[in-house]
Amino acid sequence: MSVPVLSRKLVLESRQNTPDGAGGVDPAWAPLGTLWADVSARTGSEAVVGGRRTSRKRFRIVVRAAPFGAPSRPRPDQRFREGERVFPIYAVAEFDAAGHYLICECEEGGVT
């Protein structure tokens, strides 16, 4: 297994719901910190959703490991941001047996 090249700067974000003043909430994303990552494209697909063509691309993002519960440890309910690009996290697992890195399975997609 090769050592990941952590050359891309990503912002880890967590969802923070704020009251909308009408009894509901507005979803917002708050930055938790910056992580250096190895980003690899995996697969892509297209679908028609609501009459609009949607492109979805899967990525494997590898970052340095952090202890469970640490704010710098990515979770599936969070996302990465790189400028205008957003990568929702769907799964997190150890990359290596020593636990030095984590693999985050992500998907980038939007209406084209």
Side-chain angles (χ1 to χ4, degrees):
M1 188 175 302
S2 63
V3 176
V5 178
L6 307 179
S7 60
R8 305 245 318 248
K9 193 175 178 180
L10 304 179
V11 176
L12 179 63
E13 297 180 331
S14 182
R15 189 179 193 123
Q16 307 290 320
N17 291 326
T18 56
D20 65 4
V25 294
D26 284 327
W29 291 89
L32 298 175
T34 302
L35 301 175
W36 287 94
D38 183 334
V39 180
S40 302
R42 293 297 179 213
T43 61
S45 64
E46 265 188 354
V48 176
V49 178
R52 300 182 82 182
R53 187 168 298 232
T54 300
S55 172
R56 297 204 179 273
K57 297 160 286 297
R58 292 197 174 269
F59 288 85
R60 182 187 81 166
I61 297 178
V62 179
V63 297
R64 289 196 192 284
F68 282 99
S72 59
R73 186 181 177 97
R75 297 190 323 253
D77 60 339
Q78 297 174 332
R79 70 184 191 182
F80 291 112
R81 175 178 291 278
E82 182 180 41
E84 294 300 314
R85 297 179 75 184
V86 175
F87 303 92
I89 302 169
Y90 292 102
V92 178
E94 281 74 24
F95 175 80
D96 56 338
H100 293 121
Y101 301 97
L102 298 172
I103 295 175
C104 301
E105 296 295 334
C106 301
E107 186 175 86
E108 179 186 34
V111 177
T112 58

